Amino acid sequence: MIGEKQRIGNLAGDMKLNELIIQRHIYSIKRYNKNMKQGVNMETIIYLIRHADTIDELGVRNTNETSQAINEKEILSIKGEEDSKELSEKQELKNIEAIWCSSYVRAKQTAKYIANKNNLQINLDDRLNERKLGNLKEIAIFMKDKITRDPSQEQLLHQKFKTSDGESAEDTNKRMTEFLNECLKKYKGKRIAIISHGGSIKFLLLNWCNVNNNVKLEYRGKELNIASPCLLKLTFKENNLVNLEQIS
């Protein structure tokens, strides 16, 4: 009689154990499905930032620097420093998870305030550098009959143009797009700040924007102002841009 009760008790215990195992299995499946659904709908935010205003160096320059070297070492103006600090205090740039930046001085000087606010290191990548203008005499010839007087705007219309030692809009777009795709893969579901330059940002945006009659970029009918500084918020699902907005 005692043996029979023990067998019944063991059987009941086994049933409860099996029930618990089944419940845990069902919970694991639900959690997996939830995670998969969240993964599909996960948004990656890229804050695309143009560096702040730079100083006009109009004094005597007794150096052997090339125009490219001078461009790379150009520094922020006092206003540019102030604008960079103000930019870093925007709500949108709080709690970002990584900062990538051009290796040019003015871009790093803009990025330092954002890095400080978020307690992050600044990562550098040459693919974020400004488009290389190259030979200035060739640029002058190219620009002589142009209305905008801005080479980066004109290259929006003439995307294959480049000087003998410079880069075209297409060249710049290729390296910028390559970098962005790597970020979207590495930082899926995160919020990233990228600090670059006017020309390079414009040429990257050609992936999603139109050039209007004013030779300005438009996204869904809204004209973008790629000023110094400029803050653009790009929202991606997987590798697809779902929204682009200018943050004022």
Side-chain angles (χ1 to χ4, degrees):
M1 192 71 180
I2 294 174
E4 184 67 22
K5 287 182 177 179
Q6 185 174 359
R7 283 195 297 272
I8 293 172
N10 290 341
L11 180 61
D14 289 342
M15 290 176 66
K16 287 182 178 179
L17 179 61
N18 289 335
E19 183 180 352
L20 180 61
I21 291 173
I22 291 171
Q23 287 176 347
R24 286 181 176 176
H25 184 61
I26 292 173
Y27 172 76
S28 296
I29 292 174
K30 287 182 177 179
R31 185 172 62 179
Y32 173 79
N33 289 337
K34 181 180 179 181
N35 290 340
M36 287 296 292
K37 185 177 180 180
Q38 287 177 341
V40 170
N41 295 324
M42 192 177 294
E43 290 184 344
T44 304
I45 306 297
I46 302 292
Y47 293 103
L48 193 56
I49 301 163
R50 184 183 180 182
H51 65 80
D53 181 64
T54 57
I55 194 169
D56 291 324
E57 297 187 32
L58 303 176
V60 175
R61 185 184 290 276
N62 290 323
T63 71
N64 293 320
E65 297 168 297
T66 63
S67 60
Q68 178 62 31
I70 293 170
N71 188 12
E72 292 177 14
K73 293 192 289 185
E74 197 171 87
I75 64 174
L76 295 184
S77 65
I78 299 299
K79 183 180 184 304
E81 294 281 355
E82 293 170 348
D83 287 346
S84 295
K85 185 175 185 298
E86 183 179 338
L87 177 70
S88 72
E89 295 169 350
K90 287 186 179 294
Q91 186 65 35
E92 287 281 358
L93 294 179
K94 291 183 178 179
N95 301 314
I96 60 174
E97 292 159 282
I99 298 174
W100 282 91
C101 183
S102 155
S103 62
Y104 284 28
V105 172
R106 58 189 181 273
K108 291 188 286 185
Q109 288 179 323
T110 303
K112 68 185 178 185
Y113 293 98
I114 303 169
N116 182 61
K117 283 288 184 182
N118 288 275
N119 194 28
L120 292 172
Q121 299 295 319
I122 299 173
N123 303 299
L124 303 180
D125 196 300
D126 284 343
R127 288 174 293 180
L128 298 175
N129 290 354
E130 180 60 293
R131 163 272 284 111
K132 291 182 180 178
L133 270 176
N135 189 292
L136 297 182
K137 290 183 179 179
E138 294 176 28
I139 286 290
I141 293 171
F142 169 69
M143 291 296 298
K144 69 178 182 180
D145 58 347
K146 304 298 188 294
I147 297 174
T148 69
R149 313 310 302 164
D150 180 349
S152 67
Q153 277 187 264
E154 293 300 334
Q155 282 185 282
L156 292 172
L157 299 175
H158 306 274
Q159 295 175 24
K160 293 183 180 297
F161 168 79
K162 60 181 175 181
T163 60
S164 54
D165 56 345
E167 288 182 295
S168 67
E170 289 184 351
D171 294 336
T172 312
N173 173 277
K174 182 178 179 181
R175 59 173 165 83
M176 290 284 287
T177 301
E178 178 184 73
F179 175 83
L180 179 66
N181 287 338
E182 289 178 11
C183 274
L184 292 174
K185 183 177 181 180
K186 182 176 181 179
Y187 298 108
K188 185 176 180 181
K190 298 184 183 298
R191 301 167 65 245
I192 311 301
I194 295 175
I195 297 87
S196 186
H197 303 265
S200 294
I201 289 173
K202 290 174 186 176
F203 303 151
L204 172 65
L205 293 177
L206 285 170
N207 290 334
W208 311 286
C209 296
N210 299 317
V211 182
N212 66 20
N213 293 333
N214 297 322
V215 198
K216 297 288 186 67
L217 291 170
E218 279 188 0
Y219 179 74
R220 294 178 179 173
K222 292 185 178 180
E223 187 173 285
L224 302 177
N225 181 24
I226 314 300
S228 292
C230 164
L231 175 58
L232 301 171
K233 180 180 180 181
L234 284 68
T235 303
F236 290 87
K237 285 186 178 179
E238 298 298 328
N239 286 349
N240 300 314
L241 182 76
V242 295
N243 194 37
L244 189 166
E245 60 181 308
Q246 183 147 20
I247 309 297
S248 57

